[in-house]
Amino acid sequence: MDRRDRVKLYDQMADAYDRSRPSYPDDVIDDILGDSPDTLSVLDVGSGTGIASRQMAKRGARVLGLDMSPGMSAVAERHGISTEIVPFETWEPAGREFDRVTCAQAWHWMDPFNSAEKAASVLRPGGRLCLFWSAGFHPDELADALADAYRRVLPPGTPKLTLGYAVSRSSDLPLDFSVVTGSPRAFRHMTEEPARSVPWSATYTRDQWLDELSTHTDHAALPADVRQNLFDEIGNTIDRFGGAFDMTFATYLFSATVPR
């Protein structure tokens, strides 16, 4: 599935995405913005409905979002995030400079080398490029039962689906982000900083998880009847485990600084 197809799906699910997708840990946002967030201008690339953008704006940063999806951008605008609908690769900064270029959960859709160079070109001296992703998995016994449910329902030849949030089970972590960040070559014009990971957890009911899962493009792209049968089976499986579960998350932050 290419980016244009994903944009069409995201347009259709914008409200559900904004409602169900988790925000990011305060420690991560505070690390990105530092001690004086109200002095910073931030370019948030792949801003979606503005989930991370709003967290930064609430701390006083001036945030401009960029996203390819008109539907997602409209939701961000309703939340007060000014957003330009354009791919980062072809966006024209028109002389604008920023203290931070951020990207939450989206850098893997871009060319890491050209995008990092473009980020460096719009950052002021001392500015930071900050890339971050959250990944989460079910308890192992539930993950095993869900894997069985997927095998029962999905027709042969269905592309592999991710069961959890960016990963399918605990053994998938830690993820190797070097491919999507392009590290270290993509950061050759900047000083790369040590990566961070922040653990956290969230509780999902059956319905909350199905709502969230409906915003995963690999699931949204399934034929409607297959998706409904799968979601019914997932819901029944979660019900057998008490109707709710704790998902274990980690948010990973990768950053690099432009020399002063």
Side-chain angles (χ1 to χ4, degrees), residues 150 154 158-164 167-168 217-222 226 230-231 234:
Y150 278 70
L154 294 179
T158 300
K160 184 178 180 180
L161 304 184
T162 301
L163 277 61
V167 295
S168 289
T217 54
D218 57 352
H219 289 66
L222 291 169
V226 174
L230 176 62
F231 278 33
I234 291 170

Side-chain angles (χ1 to χ4, degrees), residues 123-162:
L123 281 166
R124 297 186 177 98
R128 295 174 69 200
L129 170 63
C130 299
L131 315 176
F132 50 112
W133 288 266
S134 292
F137 54 86
H138 304 88
D140 284 344
E141 288 188 7
L142 177 56
D144 290 339
L146 287 171
D148 289 340
Y150 278 70
R151 282 191 290 268
R152 286 194 301 271
V153 172
L154 294 179
T158 300
K160 184 178 180 180
L161 304 184
T162 301

